[in-house]
Amino acid sequence: MSSEKEPFSINRTFQFQEEAAQIDRTGSSPDFTTDEIEGSDGQSQSIEEGGNLAQSLLSDTKDYVQEKANPTEKIEDSEMSAEPTGENTKANLWADPTREPQNEREYQAIKVLLTILRNPDSTSENIFEAYTHLPWPGVSYLNGQDRSRLLSRLGDVRIKNRSREQLRYLSVAEEMRLASFPLNEAQWNTVIAFTGRCYARVQAADVASALISWRDVEQEAGIESGNVTFNVLFDIATKAGKFGLAEKILMEMEARNLPLNRYSQAAVIYYNGLKGNGNGVRKAYREYVEVGQIVDTVIMNCVIASLIRAGEVSAAEQSFERMKRFMYNKTGVRIPLHDWRDVKDFGRMLNRAADRFRHDPVQLRRMQRDQLLAPDLTTYSIFLQYHVSQSGELRRVAELLGEMAYLNVPIQGGVFRKLFEGFARHGGVRYTTWTSSRLESVYRALLAALDEGLGDVDVRKWMVLWAVRAFGRCSSQKRTLEVWKELGSRWRIEDEGDRATVERVLRSTLRRYSKDEDL
């Protein structure tokens, strides 16, 4: 990198916008994403279910495998009390807003919102619902601290590719702008992340939207972008498969003298995997270590997913086995479990620690030595996805589920989706191991988990889609319709468009795969 920082230039943002405008809008993202690397599918289930699922998959096989010996801002707890702080008077309840309530109804709406907003157990859905009861623009009734807290809570989601979460955050951010409340850099970064990752598969239009938001940051808000902004842009361009644009973003970071941190260097590892460059993955990993970044399970998951994307599955398996050996030698067997927020907070801590101890090799080695490089839920999820979508090796899927049960790695509800995908892709043909009887076993396990209310297992669009496809391919029309009726009755649909999508897939599946001609 150059020794002197290049002068700040608004005009460069237009170069990237023009680049995005030329991108083919048919581009799509890869099967594995950095969101999957960072965290789990967001659904969890009792530990025992993993063993039961594995057994049901290979229930009629005598030699069944034996079980083997597992950036949003942080709000302080003191700021998240269930009730507004200070004297319980109308005067300080909205200290320093630009508008005051005109009647008792507005006052009560504000009070309800602040109570929900300061409750750490409130969901973004609850918060936004309470916010909608304020007259427009609702942000004008809040003081600066609560406006910041509102955006922080709405942006605190595991992954930013859910349209509902996107609309909630962006609508409030837009109200902030229209009400002349400036967004800070962190809030702008969240806007960019939401605009570029609003769908699971990133398209060219999403890249263009993110770049336009970036232009607004530098041109309209006059905020010079830092590492986080460029990390987000690089991630979006990479997931869209726009590698030329991704290279230009790295060049822009170099021109601005912005050093690569933990996140940008991990993104470079994954970027090489998407390009199918296994040697590039290894080179980027070596560079990650050589500059003093700390390796943990998240980084190893990134390496594994990248090697798989590059077609080097055996190398990924070797890394997986080394992680397990490291775990056995250091802890015996158990894998520490982490909430997705804990994982993100820990990653930020490691990023700060690497920066702090960059010139203290002794302390840096001590930090690295303390890391438990054990496989976690995401590690297993990566391999499960590979086997259900590509290899079709049911026995290997069962082995992974058995390991997860033995090592106390919680089974996600998303695992059911993956298993249904496996049956939809590999079932319905002669001599397949993905049989209808095994599909029924998996389905019974899902219903049991739903009935018992285990973890966050619930019925979602993609689970229903793959279940319909699986039964359509492996079973009869009648059974497929029964499954759709059962899951449809358990599905809490928030978007009628999702129902229409599933019904369209159902009709197509029945026409294409059904073995039974009678409805």
Side-chain angles (χ1 to χ4, degrees):
M1 292 187 180
S2 57
S3 58
E4 294 185 3
K5 187 174 180 179
E6 182 175 323
F8 174 58
S9 171
I10 294 296
N11 292 333
R12 272 200 303 263
T13 64
F14 292 101
Q15 176 185 358
F16 289 94
Q17 185 187 8
E18 292 171 1
E19 184 81 24
Q22 299 172 5
I23 295 174
D24 181 5
R25 291 181 178 271
T26 61
S28 61
S29 66
D31 294 330
F32 292 105
T33 68
T34 49
D35 288 321
E36 185 170 2
I37 292 172
E38 279 291 333
S40 66
D41 278 8
Q43 299 179 340
S44 59
Q45 175 187 353
S46 67
I47 291 167
E48 291 78 7
E49 283 295 327
N52 295 337
L53 278 175
Q55 293 175 16
S56 67
L57 286 174
L58 291 178
S59 56
D60 56 352
T61 303
K62 294 183 179 180
D63 55 347
Y64 167 66
V65 62
Q66 297 297 316
E67 289 185 331
K68 300 179 180 179
N70 131 53
T72 54
E73 57 184 306
K74 182 72 174 176
I75 301 175
E76 300 298 332
D77 292 337
S78 61
E79 296 179 344
M80 298 292 291
S81 57
E83 294 293 335
T85 57
E87 298 179 16
N88 188 18
T89 66
K90 293 184 181 182
N92 78 3
L93 185 59
W94 46 80
D96 132 270
T98 60
R99 294 177 63 184
E100 293 189 0
Q102 301 301 307
N103 52 53
E104 183 66 20
R105 184 185 63 80
E106 292 183 5
Y107 166 72
Q108 290 298 331
I110 297 170
K111 184 176 180 179
V112 169
L113 171 63
L114 293 182
T115 300
I116 294 176
L117 186 60
R118 295 171 180 178
N119 181 353
D121 295 326
S122 299
T123 65
S124 61
E125 183 179 4
N126 298 145
I127 292 169
F128 187 75
E129 172 63 23
Y131 176 75
T132 59
H133 291 287
L134 272 61
W136 188 92
V139 290
S140 63
Y141 290 93
L142 305 178
N143 62 38
Q145 184 181 45
D146 287 323
R147 289 193 297 269
S148 179
R149 183 183 284 112
L150 174 64
L151 283 175
S152 179
R153 294 294 302 275
L154 292 178
D156 186 24
V157 296
R158 187 179 64 83
I159 53 177
K160 292 180 172 59
N161 65 0
R162 303 279 190 263
S163 59
R164 285 184 293 274
E165 283 88 343
Q166 178 213 31
L167 291 174
R168 290 169 190 154
Y169 190 93
L170 295 184
S171 64
V172 175
E174 183 63 16
E175 284 192 21
M176 291 270 287
R177 297 174 65 187
L178 294 175
S180 299
F181 293 119
L183 301 177
N184 61 32
E185 183 181 359
Q187 292 161 349
W188 272 112
N189 288 336
T190 306
V191 168
I192 294 172
F194 269 122
T195 55
R197 301 169 177 166
C198 57
Y199 301 104
R201 292 186 178 276
V202 180
Q203 307 291 339
D206 303 318
V207 179
S209 296
L211 292 171
I212 290 171
S213 295
W214 177 48
R215 180 199 63 189
D216 291 342
V217 173
E218 301 212 325
Q219 184 177 25
E220 178 183 317
I223 299 174
E224 185 175 2
S225 303
N227 287 76
V228 176
T229 307
F230 283 102
N231 290 346
V232 173
L233 291 171
F234 182 82
D235 176 62
I236 292 169
T238 299
K239 290 199 293 184
K242 309 309 172 188
F243 303 127
L245 179 60
E247 291 282 358
K248 289 189 176 184
I249 291 172
L250 291 178
M251 291 170 61
E252 181 69 9
M253 291 182 70
E254 183 174 359
R256 297 189 183 203
N257 258 358
L258 295 175
L260 299 181
N261 60 14
R262 166 186 170 88
Y263 302 102
S264 48
Q265 289 186 304
V268 172
I269 294 173
Y270 192 69
Y271 161 78
N272 280 281
L274 294 178
K275 292 179 69 176
N277 186 354
N279 289 331
V281 171
R282 296 180 183 86
K283 180 176 181 292
Y285 175 71
R286 285 196 300 270
E287 291 175 351
Y288 178 96
V289 175
E290 289 169 358
V291 300
Q293 294 293 346
I294 299 170
V295 179
D296 67 337
T297 297
V298 169
I299 298 302
M300 290 307 302
N301 286 343
C302 179
V303 171
I304 286 172
S306 301
L307 288 171
I308 290 176
R309 287 296 306 176
E312 299 195 20
V313 181
S314 61
E317 289 277 7
Q318 291 172 11
S319 297
F320 182 37
E321 292 301 321
R322 283 196 294 270
M323 291 175 73
K324 288 190 283 188
R325 286 197 299 272
F326 182 92
M327 173 191 64
Y328 298 145
N329 293 336
K330 191 162 186 175
T331 66
V333 255
R334 299 303 176 191
I335 296 178
L337 304 178
H338 298 286
D339 177 82
W340 63 268
R341 289 184 178 88
D342 295 334
V343 173
K344 289 191 173 183
D345 288 342
F346 188 66
R348 286 192 283 265
M349 185 276 289
L350 291 180
N351 186 53
R352 292 193 297 269
D355 186 63
R356 178 181 178 184
F357 301 125
R358 195 169 305 280
H359 303 295
D360 187 349
V362 174
Q363 184 64 34
L364 199 61
R365 283 195 296 271
R366 184 179 295 116
M367 286 287 296
Q368 182 61 72
R369 193 166 54 246
D370 290 341
Q371 300 311 306
L372 178 61
L373 299 180
D376 63 2
L377 182 57
T378 300
T379 320
Y380 282 97
S381 182
I382 291 169
F383 281 104
L384 284 172
Q385 183 62 47
Y386 166 73
H387 288 296
V388 301
S389 64
Q390 297 185 54
S391 78
E393 295 182 15
L394 183 65
R395 180 175 299 283
R396 184 59 181 141
V397 171
E399 289 174 353
L400 291 168
L401 292 171
E403 285 183 21
M404 292 172 71
Y406 184 78
L407 298 173
N408 285 347
V409 179
I411 296 291
Q412 299 175 343
V415 167
F416 287 107
R417 180 199 63 74
K418 290 179 172 61
L419 293 176
F420 289 140
E421 180 181 350
F423 283 100
R425 291 186 183 277
H426 308 293
V429 295
R430 186 176 296 182
Y431 307 126
T432 182
T433 55
W434 299 82
T435 62
S436 60
S437 61
R438 287 169 179 161
L439 174 59
E440 291 287 355
S441 296
V442 172
Y443 185 63
R444 286 195 297 271
L446 169 63
L447 295 182
L450 291 171
D451 290 338
E452 295 173 26
L454 298 176
D456 294 326
V457 178
D458 56 8
V459 178
R460 299 182 182 179
K461 181 180 77 171
W462 286 104
M463 179 186 289
V464 179
L465 280 172
W466 283 114
V468 165
R469 286 170 173 163
F471 277 92
R473 179 145 193 174
C474 299
S475 190
S476 66
Q477 271 192 350
K478 180 180 179 182
R479 182 58 180 143
T480 303
L481 290 169
E482 290 173 349
V483 169
W484 160 237
K485 183 178 180 180
E486 172 71 23
L487 293 181
S489 68
R490 295 170 179 261
W491 183 12
R492 188 169 66 92
I493 301 175
E494 297 182 2
D495 185 349
E496 283 301 319
D498 290 346
R499 177 188 291 276
T501 299
V502 174
E503 290 176 341
R504 185 169 60 252
V505 169
L506 174 64
R507 291 191 295 270
S508 173
T509 300
L510 292 177
R511 287 195 301 267
R512 184 175 181 185
Y513 293 126
S514 181
K515 298 177 181 179
D516 187 350
E517 295 299 327
D518 297 322
L519 281 172

